[in-house]
């Protein structure tokens, strides 16, 4: 939830090992959480966004 009460979804973007972390934030109108999650899932599936843990 954002500061103004809107639902928010943050997705990490795919990156190479030498690149800095990057992500996108999607904000939806109040009450549209299901649409927000569906859109986030579509982005993950189509564009290859995923979380990868950095090597230790």
């Amino acid at each position: 939830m954002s500061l103004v009460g809107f639902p928010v979804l943050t997705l990490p973007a795919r990156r190479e090992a030498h690149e800095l972390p990057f992500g996108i934030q999607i904000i939806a109108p109040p009450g549209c959480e299901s649409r927000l999650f569906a859109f986030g899932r579509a982005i993950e599936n189509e564009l290859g966004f995923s979380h990868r843990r950095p090597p230790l």
Side-chain angles (χ1 to χ4, degrees):
M1 178 118 7
S2 70
L3 186 59
V4 294
F6 287 25
V8 177
L9 185 66
T10 304
L11 298 171
R14 186 171 59 185
R15 65 185 181 97
E16 300 299 323
H18 63 283
E19 296 176 334
L20 293 174
F22 172 73
I24 62 169
Q25 189 173 58
I26 306 163
I27 303 171
C32 293
E33 289 85 357
S34 61
R35 289 176 54 200
L36 178 66
F37 294 142
F39 184 68
R41 169 129 344 190
I43 289 176
E44 286 181 330
N45 292 337
E46 294 296 321
L47 301 179
F49 282 39
S50 64
H51 178 72
R52 277 189 273 150
R53 296 188 187 278
L56 297 177

